[in-house]
Amino acid sequence: MVEFTEEQKRVRDTVRKIAEEKVAPRAAEIDETDEFPLDYVDVYAKNGLLKATLPKSSGGLDADTMTLCLIVEELARAYASAPQMLITTGAVLQVLSKAATTAQLQRFLKRLEKGTHICSFALTEANYGSDAGNLQTRAVPDGDNYVVNGSKAFITSGEVAELNLVFVRTGGRGTKGISVIVVDKNSHGFHVGNKEHKMGFAGTGTVELIFDDVEVSKDNLIGKENEGWRLLTNIANMMRVWGAGSTAMGNAQGALDDVVEYVREEVQSGKPEVDFQAIQFMLADMAISVETARSLIYRTAYVMDRNGASFKDVETLVCMSKCYAADVGMKVTSDAVQIVGGYGYTKGSSIERRMRDAKSVQIYDGSNQIQRIVAARNLLS
Amino acid sequence: MEFGFSEEQNILRNSVTDFMEKECPPEYVRELDEKEEYPHEIYGKMSKLGWFGLPIPEEYGGSGLGAVDLIIVGEEMSRFSYEIAAGFGISVFCGLNIIEHGSEEQKKFYIPKMIDNKIRLSISITEPNAGSDAASLATSAVLDGGSWVLNGQKTFQTASDAKDTVMSVYVRTDKDLPKHKGISLILVPNDTPGVEIRRIKMLGRKMLHTNEIFFEDVRVPKENMVGELNNGWKMLLSGLELERLYGCSTFIGSSQTVVDLALEHSKQRVQFGRPIGTFQAMGHMLADMQTEVDAARLLVYRAAWMLDQGMPCMKQVSMAKLFGSETYARLSNQGMQIMGGYGYSLEYDMQRHFRDSRIITVSAGSSQMQRTVIAREMGLRVV
Ligand SMILES: Cc1cc2nc3c(=O)[nH]c(=O)nc-3n(C[C@H](O)[C@H](O)[C@H](O)COP(=O)(O)OP(=O)(O)OC[C@H]3O[C@@H](n4cnc5c(N)ncnc54)[C@H](O)[C@@H]3O)c2cc1C
Ligand SMILES: Cc1cc2nc3c(=O)[nH]c(=O)nc-3n(C[C@H](O)[C@H](O)[C@H](O)COP(=O)(O)OP(=O)(O)OC[C@H]3O[C@@H](n4cnc5c(N)ncnc54)[C@H](O)[C@@H]3O)c2cc1C
């Protein structure tokens, strides 16, 4: 069923080369230092990847979902942190190109040309994670501006983002009082707060964002006031398949690659590990689950790109893809440590890193429980 | 059927809990983990109470506790820190091995020092080419006059770099015998010339450290051999039940703490206007977690009881190790899920459980090796 277009193949091959030559060699170091990899930014920018989700008319790649899946998969296969800045940036630009006015889009793109192009997607707050619909960061109208107060937590790429797509409360309680505004990092009163020290996903610039009487022009409101939640559910949440889903699956594929290579070498050096059925079957199961996750993700991308299915069916497929791939990612990377044994637990191996990174995907971008809630709701409604 | 503990055992449990509550607050554990420091201070306090002698026979200055007693200690200690409980066990069990197989002089020399915390004992079996298949170890010891001369390399050695540690090194003393037969046990102080110890950076076990050890013409007196020449493999296996069971007890204490942390969080953390623990997916996950901890606990208790009765219990011990280690690893992952982004943050303790638990299904007899033992005990000649 899966047949890639020439363009998709071209992008995949380019990204695979970048992943092997530029991304993978730096992974261990970034994991150690937790520094945001500006060298990745350069490579991505040179290859147009930061603007992948933009239409060609705006200088983008006009990448369809399948292409985005391939980009993220290839990068995550080298290092799970690597595609995260593309995911946040890609999601923001996707929202802008679908929901902003042409004038807004032009203005923001011009602004991005002056910097790194990195954008953050700022939804979560310390007290509102799964329950983001009740978020409390406020934007109060004041003449031509909004005055924004509050804070966001766990914001990927926030450390370096030029523009932040921020979900704020402009109306009453719940999801009906939320709007989306763009906040420039240079805005007065906007601060990048503490870096979140995490077990994995190093170098993804996850920070707190603090808004202290930040004046934001009303021109920076995306879409209509109090209709921000729709932008989230209708546009942004779709990134769960090519973002989180492909991250988890690519990372799992990488773990499988690493283990297969390790076991092959062991066999060559005369160790009998691969003779053991228990280990062989684990390897087979790992490959089965990675391949299943990939099939589900590709099918979801295929359905989305054909534009034929109902929103509900697409949303269900997206939730299933994210949830399943994240669970597979956790299991496969844990099994990888088990198969490799003590060496898999050392910091010198990529194996333990992949396991730490895999965990984040079960939690972020809507925890796996939230994906199940949505999938079940769609099944029953 | 009698599920209760004796009066003395209850007192023992309470005294361990009281001590740990006072001396081992979460901040202390966090600090040692972050600074990657060996827990000398708390071991000093434990030794003042005579704890390192708990299972040691009274004639050598210990209290002669049995298996059930000992797992009570391990369970309670590990509720506060998995690593502190694990490191305690390593010294104590190496000491028991000396009691079991050593000469009178060795017992009189090493055991009181171990009990008084003047020395620590560590165990050296694994080599780069001898992991699960430990009997292929190749580090050699050759007699030269009055000394053994050791050459070779060990890897994944817990706590062998702590100051004043005497390492129980399993070495090959006869290459021509079948691989299980040519192994001996030699005691090597870690500051002996020719011993080089290098830290390996690991995902977890930050306090105790994991090391590589290189032996280059390391000379120790002939008297440092424990037991008979070429009888090492038997010594390695003797006492294994109690040692494994103690290890299991640290898994259940740690697993219980994982449940407690996740439970507490699920009561405090409100989303959608309710504590997240009141959502079925969370509440039921916690119910499963507690059920698994209790199942693991019962497997450990049963095996310990059998051991105290003098009954053969290798199968039961292996089941306890298999299920207990898998439980701690699985639960720390679920505990992290329940805590969401906070669980993933290094500011919280759950990530330490995640990191520390990920290797216990490999070390000290992997899950696969335990399954093989169990299947063999069931009459299958599993290869
Ligand atoms: C590495 C990383 C990167 C991130 N990047 C971003 C980012 O770029 N932008 C952003 O906005 N956010 C980001 N986040 C935040 C992330 O989206 C949240 O962590 C996530 O939504 C979960 O919220 P929480 O951590 O507050 O957990 P909580 O919402 O407190 O959830 C705790 C547990 O309760 C469960 N739960 C919650 N509600 C229910 C329910 N109704 N039924 C059953 N179970 C429930 C959850 O599944 C979870 O297991 C990131 C997080 C991480 C870890
Ligand atoms: C943190 C840590 C601390 C340690 N501390 C010590 C210590 O203090 N002293 C010491 O001597 N050692 C120590 N070890 C070593 C530990 O006991 C070994 O890691 C363990 O014996 C496994 O060996 P290995 O890592 O070489 O893995 P391997 O033996 O290579 O095993 C790799 C995988 O293959 C599987 N496998 C192997 N043989 C079989 C089989 N026959 N059938 C089916 N599957 C099989 C294993 O289950 C495992 O999944 C420690 C290890 C770690 C990680």
Side-chain angles (χ1 to χ4, degrees):
Chain A
M1 179 207 90
V2 186
E3 231 179 87
F4 300 121
T5 63
E6 286 311 310
E7 173 66 3
Q8 285 164 344
K9 282 191 224 160
R10 188 193 65 75
V11 174
R12 183 197 59 197
D13 294 346
T14 309
V15 176
R16 183 172 294 172
K17 198 156 173 279
I18 293 172
E20 282 167 5
E21 289 172 7
K22 306 284 185 197
V23 169
R26 285 260 294 133
E29 190 184 345
I30 294 167
D31 184 52
E32 178 81 36
T33 61
D34 197 16
E35 272 167 27
F36 196 88
L38 294 170
D39 53 326
Y40 286 5
V41 179
D42 287 344
V43 184
Y44 297 165
K46 249 185 226 131
N47 289 277
L49 298 178
L50 288 164
K51 294 194 273 186
T53 57
L54 285 174
K56 289 238 160 76
S57 55
S58 306
L61 291 183
D62 203 11
D64 55 11
T65 309
M66 186 71 87
T67 308
L68 294 172
C69 286
L70 293 172
I71 293 172
V72 172
E73 176 183 343
E74 290 300 331
L75 292 174
R77 187 171 179 172
Y79 181 21
S81 288
Q84 301 314 311
M85 68 172 92
L86 292 183
I87 297 170
T88 59
T89 304
V92 170
L93 294 181
Q94 209 166 42
V95 170
L96 293 181
S97 61
K98 290 192 177 158
T101 63
T102 318
Q104 282 179 317
L105 184 62
Q106 293 312 325
R107 182 157 55 84
F108 292 133
L109 290 180
K110 234 170 112 189
R111 165 65 185 85
L112 289 175
E113 293 304 330
K114 286 194 218 138
T116 59
H117 250 96
I118 305 288
C119 301
S120 89
F121 191 93
L123 174 66
T124 304
E125 298 177 5
N127 291 324
Y128 300 93
S130 300
D131 187 15
N134 278 317
L135 59 87
Q136 297 297 333
T137 295
R138 284 209 152 269
V140 179
D142 178 22
D144 292 340
N145 294 330
Y146 287 110
V147 178
V148 184
N149 277 293
S151 66
K152 295 284 170 183
F154 288 109
I155 305 306
T156 305
S157 310
E159 191 183 2
V160 297
E162 303 289 334
L163 296 179
N164 304 285
L165 192 80
V166 186
F167 288 76
V168 290
R169 185 155 303 285
T170 41
R173 296 166 55 165
T175 55
K176 296 213 168 75
I178 293 173
S179 303
V180 174
I181 56 171
V182 172
V183 180
D184 194 307
K185 75 164 181 194
N186 296 327
S187 309
H188 190 72
F190 170 79
H191 309 284
V192 172
N194 286 333
K195 196 156 162 169
E196 313 276 2
H197 294 286
K198 314 183 297 306
M199 185 177 75
F201 259 27
T204 54
T206 316
V207 291
E208 230 183 326
L209 299 181
I210 298 163
F211 305 84
D212 194 0
D213 281 333
V214 183
E215 291 188 354
V216 180
S217 162
K218 280 191 176 162
D219 277 348
N220 282 16
L221 174 74
I222 306 303
K224 294 206 183 97
E225 199 170 273
N226 296 331
E227 290 192 2
W229 196 254
R230 277 214 359 241
L231 300 188
L232 180 72
T233 51
N234 291 8
I235 307 175
N237 278 350
M238 298 305 160
M239 72 173 159
R240 288 169 174 170
V241 62
W242 57 269
S246 295
T247 295
M249 184 262 285
N251 185 44
Q253 178 66 56
L256 182 59
D257 297 342
D258 293 348
V259 170
V260 166
E261 190 187 313
Y262 179 86
V263 174
R264 274 208 195 117
E265 276 170 18
E266 293 274 282
V267 172
Q268 269 158 16
S269 70
K271 276 208 193 168
E273 240 152 76
V274 83
D275 287 348
F276 304 131
Q277 265 194 355
I279 299 298
Q280 283 175 10
F281 280 35
M282 271 171 90
L283 277 173
D285 282 338
M286 287 161 75
I288 291 168
S289 43
V290 173
E291 208 47 69
T292 325
R294 179 179 286 116
S295 300
L296 178 56
I297 287 171
Y298 288 178
R299 186 172 119 72
T300 303
Y302 173 82
V303 170
M304 282 169 74
D305 289 339
R306 279 204 355 176
N307 271 326
S310 71
F311 172 75
K312 194 175 89 174
D313 288 350
V314 169
E315 185 182 48
T316 309
L317 276 173
V318 167
C319 289
M320 294 195 299
S321 300
K322 188 272 175 178
C323 184
Y324 185 70
D327 284 347
V328 161
M330 195 64 239
K331 174 87 167 81
V332 165
T333 54
S334 300
D335 285 351
V337 173
Q338 184 69 24
I339 292 180
V340 173
Y343 176 67
Y345 192 66
T346 64
K347 286 286 191 178
S349 78
S350 53
I351 310 270
E352 64 82 33
R353 185 187 73 233
R354 289 191 181 280
M355 178 176 68
R356 279 183 290 118
D357 292 343
K359 183 67 213 173
S360 58
V361 190
Q362 289 184 313
I363 298 169
Y364 85 156
D365 211 0
S367 73
N368 275 12
Q369 283 71 34
I370 297 301
Q371 309 301 330
R372 289 185 173 93
I373 289 175
V374 178
R377 191 172 61 208
N378 287 350
L379 288 171
L380 297 172
S381 71
Chain B
M1 270 291 180
E2 167 61 82
F3 274 103
F5 292 100
S6 72
E7 187 60 30
E8 291 81 20
Q9 286 167 337
N10 287 330
I11 292 172
L12 176 67
R13 187 185 288 275
N14 289 338
S15 66
V16 177
T17 312
D18 290 346
F19 172 86
M20 293 300 281
E21 265 171 4
K22 185 156 155 276
E23 303 294 347
C24 195
E27 306 78 58
Y28 177 66
V29 179
R30 246 170 251 155
E31 187 186 328
L32 292 176
D33 178 62
E34 269 159 30
K35 293 192 175 157
E36 312 201 353
E37 269 175 28
Y38 189 83
H40 282 294
E41 189 189 336
I42 194 165
Y43 286 161
K45 291 175 185 167
M46 287 179 184
S47 84
K48 290 219 169 70
L49 299 172
W51 284 11
F52 284 91
L54 286 176
I56 305 286
E58 283 163 23
E59 48 180 315
Y60 296 104
S63 321
L65 295 192
V68 172
D69 306 317
L70 207 55
I71 58 155
I72 289 174
V73 174
E75 183 183 357
E76 286 309 306
M77 214 187 272
S78 63
R79 277 182 45 223
F80 297 83
S81 164
Y82 165 69
E83 279 202 273
I84 288 172
F88 172 85
I90 294 173
S91 265
V92 167
F93 286 102
C94 288
L96 276 180
N97 216 5
I98 295 176
I99 297 275
E100 184 81 13
H101 304 284
S103 65
E104 221 29 58
E105 292 75 35
Q106 287 169 336
K107 295 182 206 179
K108 295 234 164 74
F109 184 77
Y110 293 106
I111 299 303
K113 285 195 169 70
M114 188 274 286
I115 293 178
D116 290 344
N117 196 39
K118 295 211 170 69
I119 58 167
R120 279 142 287 283
L121 302 174
S122 73
I123 181 144
S124 280
I125 307 166
T126 307
E127 298 179 3
N129 289 315
S132 297
D133 181 16
S136 350
L137 60 87
T139 296
S140 67
V142 179
L143 201 54
D144 178 32
S147 306
W148 287 106
V149 182
L150 281 74
N151 278 289
Q153 181 190 349
K154 296 284 176 185
T155 193
F156 303 135
Q157 306 292 298
T158 303
S160 36
D161 59 336
K163 69 168 192 258
D164 302 323
T165 293
V166 177
M167 309 184 291
S168 307
V169 187
Y170 285 87
V171 289
R172 183 145 313 275
T173 35
D174 193 332
K175 289 195 183 85
D176 300 326
L177 291 173
K179 70 177 179 182
H180 292 92
K181 297 247 163 79
I183 296 172
S184 304
L185 171 59
I186 296 179
L187 298 174
V188 183
N190 68 348
D191 56 359
T192 310
V195 171
E196 194 196 327
I197 302 180
R198 288 190 208 151
R199 277 280 288 288
I200 312 175
K201 287 190 92 174
M202 299 296 244
L203 170 58
R205 303 273 201 108
K206 302 274 189 195
M207 288 183 202
L208 296 179
H209 300 180
T210 310
N211 309 281
E212 275 178 303
I213 309 180
F214 299 87
F215 299 89
E216 206 188 319
D217 291 331
V218 175
R219 300 183 87 90
V220 293
K222 207 172 145 200
E223 296 72 41
N224 282 25
M225 176 165 287
V226 180
E228 281 166 46
L229 181 66
N230 294 333
N231 202 27
W233 189 252
K234 277 204 189 123
M235 292 186 245
L236 198 149
L237 294 183
S238 82
L240 197 62
E241 287 96 338
L242 184 60
E243 186 179 337
R244 281 223 168 117
L245 269 182
Y246 176 82
C248 296
S249 76
T250 68
F251 306 151
I252 57 180
S254 308
S255 299
Q256 186 60 59
T257 296
V258 165
V259 177
D260 294 346
L261 289 174
L263 180 63
E264 184 60 24
H265 187 85
S266 78
K267 287 178 179 168
Q268 303 296 332
R269 175 74 172 170
V270 173
Q271 294 287 284
F272 304 100
R274 291 160 54 173
I276 56 167
T278 64
F279 293 111
Q280 273 198 353
M282 293 289 108
H284 287 187
M285 193 187 286
L286 280 156
D288 278 343
M289 289 163 73
Q290 186 61 63
T291 305
E292 284 164 34
V293 178
D294 275 32
R297 182 179 279 128
L298 291 175
L299 283 174
V300 178
Y301 287 180
R302 175 181 67 169
W305 177 83
M306 290 173 77
L307 193 58
D308 277 342
Q309 307 302 307
M311 297 158 78
C313 58
M314 203 47 178
K315 181 167 84 178
Q316 287 76 10
V317 169
S318 286
M319 288 173 165
K321 163 71 172 60
L322 171 64
F323 191 73
S325 60
E326 295 280 342
T327 295
Y328 184 27
R330 185 172 55 245
L331 263 51
S332 64
N333 184 30
Q334 290 176 321
M336 187 171 277
Q337 190 66 24
I338 291 170
M339 293 182 64
Y342 297 94
Y344 198 60
S345 158
L346 295 183
E347 317 281 315
Y348 289 75
D349 288 339
M350 192 58 84
Q351 50 79 28
R352 191 183 65 244
H353 289 283
F354 184 98
R355 289 185 291 106
D356 284 343
S357 67
R358 304 316 285 191
I359 200 61
I360 56 173
T361 56
V362 171
S363 58
S366 69
S367 291
Q368 284 72 26
M369 300 314 278
Q370 304 304 330
R371 291 187 183 105
T372 296
V373 172
I374 297 164
R376 285 187 184 154
E377 293 276 335
M378 291 165 73
L380 296 167
R381 298 184 61 188
V382 174
V383 289

